[in-house]
Amino acid sequence: MIKKPFIVGNWKMNLTLREGVEFAKSLRNSLNDRNEVICGICPSFVFLNDICKVLKGSGICVAAQNIHSEKNGAYTGEISAIMVKEVGCTHVLIGHSERRHIFNEADAFINAKIKVALSVNLKPIFCVGETLHEREDEKTRYVIENQLTGGLRGISADHIRDIVIAYEPVWAIGTGKTALPQDANEVHSFIRSFITVEYGIDTANSLYIQYGGSVKPENAGDLMAQPEIDGLLVGGASIQLESFLEIVEVASTH
Ligand code: 13P
């Protein structure tokens, strides 16, 4: 199955509202009718409404960076799946390593978030990845398998089709160290085998698996050349329009 590369920029806690809106307008103009690549951005919560308006009808996806696991209720300061869906988001990042490690999010909580996102037709970009320590201890597969098992518990094959998995080795995030394309490919292949066993080959083949961790215009081509890498989740290089567009351009040739 031929899949268009899916390139998503995770802005994290960066940019101002004005900069974000300008970025979105320029991205829309630059991509125009180009459709070799599926593109998305993850702005801060407080920019989502404005940016979704700018990108409405463009085919560019907007993802929230997080949601709470409950549909609604007394959770001061939290944002629900339906709220981000209502302003126009199509996707949501769930289980990003910064949420796992800085905010101590555990697999069961992540699993509940995935379920609540799916219940309102918001597509989760479900992030998994090992720390440097775990990689050095040769525990990468063990860690990824546990994250997949915990995060996807109770999710049916029908719903798996709406999930994107992002492999983001923690040691490669924001460090300038990218996984070797072949090493990343091997983990992607492991993820796809896991999905094949649990959900069957057709579902596994249709699943998007993105790579994230110090992706830049210079390494995007080698990463996208790997057969198991279907897209990229870009952090630092996505907050400058120029470098993000360069990555999209490189990806469009794969
Ligand atoms: P960097 O590209 O800055 O390493 O961040 C990757 C990431 O965390 C994307 O979600």
Side-chain angles (χ1 to χ4, degrees), residues 7-11 14-31 39-43 47 51 54-55 60-61 234-246 248:
I7 311 298
V8 173
N10 174 11
W11 292 354
N14 291 298
L15 302 183
T16 63
L17 176 59
R18 191 179 51 79
E19 288 166 345
V21 167
E22 280 312 307
F23 185 118
K25 285 181 184 164
S26 307
L27 183 66
R28 182 174 188 151
N29 290 338
S30 308
L31 295 180
C39 224
I41 49 175
C42 314
F47 305 168
I51 288 183
V54 170
L55 295 178
I60 300 169
C61 307
V234 187
S238 76
I239 55 180
Q240 305 283 346
L241 182 68
E242 227 168 75
S243 51
F244 188 59
L245 283 174
E246 271 183 71
V248 171

Side-chain angles (χ1 to χ4, degrees), residues 10 12 93 96 98 168 172-175 212-215 233-237:
N10 174 11
K12 307 191 181 183
L93 297 184
H96 190 279
E98 286 147 19
E168 296 207 306
I173 297 179
T175 58
S214 295
V215 174
L233 184 52
V234 187

Side-chain angles (χ1 to χ4, degrees), residues 177-193:
K177 290 184 200 153
T178 323
L180 287 175
Q182 302 84 325
D183 290 347
N185 192 64
E186 204 180 297
V187 179
H188 281 225
S189 175
F190 175 72
I191 294 170
R192 211 176 300 282
S193 319

